[in-house]
Amino acid sequence: MTTREDQQAVERLEKAVSAAEHALIEFEIAVETFRVEVENFSRLHHQRLGPVYARLDELDAQIAEAVAARSGTEEDARAAREARERAMPMPDVDELFGRPAPEGPDDGAPAAPEPPRRVRPSREAQRLYRELARRAHPDLAQDTAEQERRSTFIARVNEAYGHGDEQRLRELAQEWEAGPPAAPTAAGEDGAAAGEGPGTGPEDRVEVLYARLEWLAARQESLAAFRAELEESAVGRMLRLAPDEPDGLIAEIAEQLLAQVAEKEARLAGLLAEPGH
């Protein structure tokens, strides 16, 4: 026979599970937001600055070759060979330097994938993403079919958010509204939760709820480890240099690299202008 005290204990535990579920969802949203920024920064850094890094390597090789040609020493010749090995075929960077790109035949190479427009999606995209993640998160599902539906939907939400696509996020919000009725969104809602059924006693219910708490704690720990890994990555450390304006960091790095390019170009021009070249 279930006593009033037993029922109250179950209700308190259900509230604890519900609070832990929603706290986990907020943490997952924060981690996914940071993951998107890390990925977007990496892609933008590569696509915008990759040609500049290639130009710097090429200039280093040309400078080393000019020095070797002038000195004629084996040591300089070896340094020139090593610099040339490090230099990759240089992409066209005239446009990046503000110079007209030379016209040439189309080599038929596939176009590079379109990069995200910015490192951090707009405030509106962030708002739409957070609302969708809170409403459709798979951890709020109460059965396998509903969890799969939510997981598939959230994957599409994450993709749209990664591209900062506000319009797509609005369309997904409308799609969610028009979809089948969602399962109860938290333990204890509507008097039912995962694992509860006819004839389930309070002892069994408590066991289910404690198992849920253990799973939530393990999931939180796993996410925390993933977040720490992101923060300690090369891109994560770079983002910490400009947490409020990550997009400005790419422009700042580009400015520094272009100054290095100008310096090396001037040095190479000086070497080539010397007698013997």
Side-chain angles (χ1 to χ4, degrees), residues 19-238:
E21 286 176 338
H22 287 89
L24 176 63
I25 289 170
E26 292 300 318
F27 187 55
E28 287 199 35
I29 290 172
V31 171
E32 177 63 16
T33 298
F34 185 60
R35 186 199 67 77
V36 164
E37 290 186 13
V38 167
E39 181 174 315
N40 285 356
F41 188 94
S42 179
R43 291 177 62 194
L44 287 168
H45 181 273
H46 174 74
Q47 295 208 23
R48 293 181 183 176
L49 304 184
V52 190
Y53 286 115
R55 176 64 173 165
L56 287 169
D57 287 343
E58 175 65 21
L59 285 169
D60 283 338
Q62 291 183 18
I63 288 170
E65 289 165 349
V67 169
R70 178 186 179 194
S71 70
T73 66
E74 177 56 31
E75 181 179 356
D76 286 342
R78 183 174 61 254
R81 289 194 297 271
E82 292 174 352
R84 175 53 62 191
E85 289 173 358
R86 288 193 297 270
M88 300 293 291
M90 186 182 66
D92 176 50
V93 292
D94 285 324
E95 184 177 352
L96 192 64
F97 296 151
R99 300 190 291 261
E103 295 184 2
D106 184 3
D107 60 6
E114 182 180 352
R117 288 185 288 273
R118 51 189 296 177
V119 172
R120 179 173 293 160
S122 68
R123 290 185 180 276
E124 178 63 10
Q126 292 180 53
R127 183 190 68 79
L128 291 165
Y129 168 70
R130 290 176 181 276
E131 287 185 1
L132 279 166
R134 288 172 181 138
R135 294 165 60 193
H137 199 281
D139 286 350
L140 297 180
Q142 301 301 320
D143 60 67
T144 301
E146 175 66 9
Q147 186 176 50
E148 290 178 356
R149 182 177 84 92
R150 287 171 176 255
S151 295
T152 300
F153 181 80
I154 285 295
R156 295 163 62 202
V157 171
N158 289 343
E159 181 180 5
Y161 180 66
H163 287 87
D165 193 337
E166 294 179 22
Q167 180 58 35
R168 182 59 179 150
L169 288 169
R170 291 191 185 94
E171 292 171 357
L172 287 167
Q174 294 173 356
E175 179 181 330
W176 184 257
E177 286 287 348
T185 58
E189 199 167 313
D190 295 333
E196 185 174 15
T200 302
E203 296 84 2
D204 294 330
R205 181 70 181 134
V206 165
E207 184 177 348
V208 168
L209 291 170
Y210 272 122
R212 177 67 170 167
L213 282 175
E214 289 179 2
W215 182 89
L216 292 167
R219 175 66 175 159
Q220 181 97 6
E221 184 178 352
S222 175
L223 281 172
F226 179 61
R227 169 79 187 213
E229 183 179 338
L230 286 175
E231 290 177 339
E232 292 306 314
S233 67
V235 173
R237 290 196 298 270
M238 292 176 73

